[in-house]
Amino acid sequence: MAKDPIRVLVTGAAGQIGYALVPMIARGAMLGPDQPVIIHMLDIVPAAEALKGVKMELIDAAFPLLKGVVATTDVVEACKGVDVAVMVGGFPRKEGMERKDVMSKNVSIYKAQASALEKHAAPDCKVLVVANPANTNALILKEFAPSFPEKNITCLTRLDHNRALGQISERLNVHVGDVKNVIIWGNHSSTQYPDINHATVDTGNGLKPVRELVGDDPWLNAEFITTVQQRGAAIIKARKLSSALSAASSACDHVHDWVLGTPKGTWVSMGVYSDGSYGIPPGIIYSFPVTCEKGEWSIVQGLKIDEFSREKMDATAKELPTTTSPASPVRGCYRPSVRPLPVLVLLFCLRIKMNEIMKEFQQGLIEVEMEAENLLLARHQLVENDRVRQGNREALTALRKRARTTKTSVPLPFESIMRDVESRPLVKEICATCGDHDSKEKTWLMFPGTDLFASIPFHAAHTILEKDQTLFDYESKKLQSYVKEKSFSISEKGVLADKISPGVLRALVTLTDKPKVEEED
């Protein structure tokens, strides 16, 4: 009997991780090879065209398990009826940024999404938060979706878990599938504690402890830990972009084991709501070793914790935000050791009984901050588009200089006809850029976004660049219009003092539009 499709929401679906994740879901990597799915994709307005492209690719791939695709910028539409929500969207972390630097920017995003999920998702919807800082974002989502069961909100530390497995397999030169039961304790950050004290390797002659097989305690207690902790930063340094493929794969692993269960005798790492196990303060989202069965996770109990591990586990716990007891009038406060959050973020996180007027005021602040985040993202995209557009223009200029004739020296069509009347065709195609340049002569052209070069006909090369230039000009114009519209809209609400400086605002609203470019069909 055919199964009913499961609805899976992916936020930030037009981004790197989302683009890698949705085909994995459609292929069955997340929920099983016989489980039909309907994928809901959500992203911000400036990414609407890219989101449309992702939907087209999913349709073109003709995945047998994919029963439908919803692509939208409306959070309510995206959340309707979803059974699983993978929260990938968030303010992007850039090279040199710590997770705490992007913490405050994600509050307004997750507040709105939490509200929509609470009202419109399926009653038993399972939520996985991927966007960093993942533990904190998961707690924010829980705070603003109080009716959601605590066990239904988790965050991704499976990526760190898999990284630890990979490091051990590389060190011992064994298959990664033979290594199991590493643990990631704490926060998905540079303070996390990768623990191998209970990990084993299947040697073919039984299970043996990792520590015994490695035989190098200084490496296990130092270099191994820092390598796993800083792996994300190392990837950003190498790619100039954050982890995408490995993050998407780990998200699939996380949901797969949560829904379908972990193998007997094996545990995995998940960021879950602490119940006080292992002396970790309750009320924080903390990574524990868990087993899963019938859609429920359970923290593995009774593991021996040595003094070294205790110190590492407590250190990472101190970095995390917590909630106080339900009786307290204030929840979501941060520990004193953590840098205080901006005033707006505190207003969002503190659950205070407010009258109707204050609630309306708070909602207005949320809307303004969301518009400001979208504005800054659009501005970043505009700058990046201009950089690529300028490079394309320089390449096009160089090609035009190589042409044997210029546009002004192209002969009249009548002269060409008369000159070719005896031995060549009566009509000769004249290119506005290269004139009667030999169309078979080749030149080198680099593929955009790569280091690959190809030798292609000169005429084809400049034609490609000219079409790309037209597209870049059009996209820049759209982004400029969006940035100006949002800038004026936000400035009229008069609450930008702590969000965008007046100098930046003036720069945004005084952008000069480029000459009108006709859109191609």
Side-chain angles (χ1 to χ4, degrees), residues 51 56 111 115 199 211 241 251 317 340 381 391 396 402 411 416 434 501-502:
L51 189 65
M56 289 190 287
K111 196 277 180 185
S115 177
R211 190 172 288 278
L241 296 166
Q381 187 174 344
L396 183 57
R402 286 196 54 195
S416 298
C434 53
S501 68

Side-chain angles (χ1 to χ4, degrees), residues 91-161:
F91 193 87
R93 180 188 176 203
K94 303 180 179 66
E95 186 175 5
M97 291 180 67
E98 291 289 336
R99 285 177 177 82
K100 59 187 177 182
D101 296 327
V102 298
M103 184 183 299
S104 63
K105 298 182 181 297
N106 284 307
V107 173
S108 59
I109 297 172
Y110 276 82
K111 196 277 180 185
Q113 293 176 356
S115 177
L117 282 171
E118 186 177 37
K119 293 176 182 177
H120 303 288
D124 194 39
C125 177
K126 290 177 167 56
V127 180
L128 167 62
V129 177
V130 176
N132 289 321
N135 299 61
T136 303
N137 286 341
L139 186 62
I140 292 169
L141 193 145
K142 174 66 185 78
E143 286 294 293
F144 287 108
S147 67
F148 254 63
E150 294 171 352
K151 299 200 73 170
N152 282 28
I153 298 177
T154 64
C155 78
L156 184 70
T157 57
R158 184 61 176 270
L159 175 56
D160 308 301
H161 182 99

Side-chain angles (χ1 to χ4, degrees), residues 205-265:
N205 296 316
L207 299 177
K208 291 190 176 181
V210 165
R211 190 172 288 278
E212 175 185 325
L213 292 174
V214 172
D216 187 348
D217 285 353
W219 182 81
L220 287 171
N221 293 339
E223 184 179 341
F224 163 74
I225 292 175
T226 56
T227 297
V228 176
Q229 288 174 335
Q230 299 172 12
R231 189 67 161 186
I235 290 173
I236 291 175
K237 184 177 180 180
R239 295 185 67 229
K240 308 304 178 188
L241 296 166
S242 58
S243 307
L245 185 145
S246 58
S249 178
S250 299
C252 277
D253 293 342
H254 178 112
V255 177
H256 178 277
D257 289 345
W258 188 3
V259 174
L260 301 178
T262 50
K264 186 176 181 180

